Amino acid sequence: MSALEPREAGADVDVDVTDGPAHSPGPRAAHADTKGSVLDGDHRALSVGIVAVVLLIAFEATAVGTAMPVAARELNGVSLYAFAFSSYFTTSLFGMVLAGQWSDRSGPLASLATGMSAFAAGLVLSGTAGTMWLFILGRAVQGLGGGLVIVALYVVVSRAYAEHLRPAIMAAFAASWVIPSVVGPLASGTITEHLGWRWVFVGIPALVVFPLALALPAIRRTASGPADPEAPVAPWDRRRIRLALAISAGAALLQYAGQELRWLSLLPAAAGLALLVPAVRGLLPRGTVRAARGLPSVILLRGIAAGSFIAAESFVPLMLVTQRGLSVTLAGLSLAAGGLTWALGSWIQARPWTEPYRERLVVLGMVLVALAIAAAPSVLITAVPVWVVAAAWGLGCLGMGAVISSTSVLLLKLSAPEEAGANSAALQISDGLSNVLLLAVGGAAFAALGGGAVGHAVNSHASTGSHPAAFAAVFLPMAGVAAAGAWVATRLGEPKNA
């Protein structure tokens, strides 16, 4: 997956979405009672439109991951493979912060429309790119749009749906990932093999028209303008925007330094750290880095789980194509079962009987994630059947479904009402920033051990057997990070003196 956030609907909302007036149903939904549904006459067009937006984002995430190995090979950019994923997360961090404030000031309509336009423009830019760096730029534009969109969608839900309807629409968001997880790799692989990888990117923007045509008029009618039209317009929080920009720029510089692997790379690395460290300190709760008990460990665990899993998952199709000779379709399908088991993990943690055992469930989930990541590179041994990856990844997604949903539940449980927005933003930042940093680490290790040389096998069905250590250098450290997450998961409860 190139974007983790929409898989867990409802918890990853920027501070400006849930803080203040936008946290309440809003003037148009305030009168609603407990009747109605998300598909009644008042909500049908809006519900279908915004769920279609999430479905499109989900399909893009699964399809692009399948086509990426071929794209990187044809653009002579396999050594920059990780950058093609992390650039999306880097810019989406900034987009989320911007969208929260923009939506509070003038409503979510402009943020959603601008975000979808940027999302489509980024896809076109990547799909028509002649060099890997231009391809990466397109992914960055796409990430900015994705950040604007996902926050705006949650503002729409908070304003246009009465409280008793929100769980249903959030469940629809989460369910929107199941079908693309199964169908996306097959469709993308078929298109890549018969028409070319570029069609995976340039074909999706045409699909943007339908959800926007449904959603935008309904949003204008039900959720446009400030949450409280009579209240003074809140000023832009320039400090927070500067911190978000610093995090994005710092993460990008660190990623660049890790990919270049030259002595001169120490300069952008130092500049990246100089931007990143104070920004992280300003946006994450005190004690997060040292895994202080309670809320800081919840936020840290979210980053550890998301970052280690995404960094590993990004290299699974490339490994299967170049080391075991699978077609891009079959390589993508190795991840397909994960969508179903992820949903199963989320469903299990939501059962009432699991509540007393939630922290133990999270520990078990992180153990499953660590085992799945550690098992994946076993297919570098030719005697190991390739279905081992599919089985391992299904198990890992089961753990992730329990962990990601549980961290959101625990976050709200440990947050005072007036702190829920800021803490949700910290969770989102930990998620996205960890994705970028661990992809940078994995990408640097991959490039350092000759990973760029494996790309000549991407367009063939023959296994090269070359540079398996480059893949092991990605998966094994990420398994170690996930295992550390299992320890952090033992510290999720409130301190005894709280």
Side-chain angles (χ1 to χ4, degrees):
M1 299 290 174
S2 66
L4 185 65
E5 295 87 344
R7 271 173 152 171
E8 168 53 31
D12 296 345
V13 182
D14 185 80
V15 59
D16 296 293
V17 176
T18 56
D19 195 18
H23 182 62
S24 61
R28 296 170 180 80
H31 66 280
D33 55 22
T34 58
K35 297 179 181 179
S37 74
V38 296
L39 292 177
D40 61 25
D42 292 334
H43 298 96
R44 186 180 301 114
L46 178 61
S47 297
V48 172
I50 62 177
V51 169
V53 169
V54 176
L55 187 69
L56 180 64
I57 292 173
F59 181 79
E60 179 276 337
T62 55
V64 166
T66 301
M68 196 75 79
V70 176
R73 164 65 182 90
E74 290 193 6
L75 296 174
N76 297 315
V78 175
S79 62
L80 299 174
Y81 187 77
F83 221 163
F85 286 94
S86 64
S87 59
Y88 181 101
F89 295 113
T90 299
T91 53
S92 67
L93 288 171
F94 180 71
M96 290 168 191
V97 175
L98 183 62
Q101 296 199 38
W102 194 356
S103 297
D104 271 352
R105 286 172 57 85
S106 58
L109 185 64
S111 178
L112 181 62
T114 303
M116 289 299 290
S117 299
F119 188 82
L123 282 166
V124 172
L125 184 58
S126 291
T128 57
T131 66
M132 191 62 176
W133 281 113
L134 191 58
F135 180 89
I136 290 169
L137 176 62
R139 292 285 292 163
V141 173
Q142 189 185 344
L144 177 64
L148 291 171
V149 167
I150 199 63
V151 171
L153 286 177
Y154 295 142
V155 177
V156 170
V157 171
S158 72
R159 295 192 185 183
Y161 294 85
E163 186 173 356
H164 73 283
L165 294 178
R166 293 176 194 165
I169 195 65
M170 292 299 184
F173 282 2
S176 295
W177 278 85
V178 175
I179 294 176
S181 296
V182 177
V183 177
L186 177 61
S188 176
T190 301
I191 292 171
T192 299
E193 291 181 13
H194 293 89
L195 298 178
W197 66 268
R198 295 183 184 275
W199 285 100
V200 175
F201 289 84
V202 300
I204 292 177
L207 304 177
V208 169
V209 176
F210 170 73
L212 287 185
L214 276 177
L216 293 185
I219 292 172
R220 184 179 292 109
R221 185 174 63 254
T222 62
S224 61
D228 185 355
E230 298 181 0
V233 177
W236 288 94
D237 187 345
R238 291 184 173 83
R239 175 181 175 275
R240 185 170 179 78
I241 291 177
R242 286 196 300 269
L243 290 175
L245 187 58
I247 271 192
S248 295
L253 286 169
L254 284 176
Q255 175 77 23
Y256 175 78
Q259 292 292 312
E260 288 299 306
L261 299 177
R262 297 179 299 173
W263 283 109
L264 287 177
S265 299
L266 293 175
L267 294 177
L273 286 173
L275 289 171
L276 203 59
V277 172
V280 169
R281 289 173 61 88
L283 291 171
L284 297 184
R286 186 186 303 273
T288 299
V289 175
R290 57 183 175 85
R293 285 193 175 275
L295 182 65
S297 286
V298 172
I299 290 173
L300 177 62
L301 179 62
R302 178 58 168 262
I304 288 175
S308 60
F309 189 79
I310 290 296
E313 185 180 59
S314 299
F315 283 86
V316 169
L318 185 66
M319 178 177 66
L320 293 176
V321 169
T322 62
Q323 305 302 292
R324 295 301 298 265
L326 267 66
S327 68
V328 292
T329 302
L330 290 177
L333 283 174
S334 68
L335 305 177
L340 297 174
T341 56
W342 188 300
L344 177 61
S346 298
W347 181 85
I348 291 173
Q349 68 80 37
R351 299 304 91 197
W353 58 266
T354 65
E355 186 58 37
Y357 311 102
R358 183 171 297 281
E359 292 174 25
R360 296 181 186 178
L361 181 63
V362 174
V363 173
L364 176 60
M366 287 308 303
V367 170
L368 292 179
V369 172
L371 290 175
I373 297 174
S378 66
V379 298
L380 293 169
I381 303 170
T382 55
V384 176
V386 293
W387 58 258
V388 168
V389 170
W393 224 248
L395 197 66
C397 285
L398 178 68
M400 283 294 287
V403 170
I404 296 299
S405 296
S406 290
T407 52
S408 299
V409 172
L410 289 167
L411 177 98
L412 296 177
K413 178 182 177 181
L414 297 172
S415 299
E418 66 273 12
E419 297 174 344
N423 291 340
S424 294
L427 194 77
Q428 180 79 0
I429 291 166
S430 177
D431 188 320
L433 180 62
S434 181
N435 286 337
V436 174
L437 294 182
L438 291 181
L439 274 167
V441 171
F446 181 74
L449 293 177
V454 306
H456 64 275
V458 171
N459 284 333
S460 73
H461 290 184
S463 173
T464 67
S466 60
H467 301 287
F471 290 96
V474 174
F475 288 97
L476 297 183
M478 294 307 140
V481 172
W487 172 78
V488 174
T490 65
R491 302 175 60 80
L492 302 183
E494 294 182 279
K496 293 182 180 180
N497 61 351

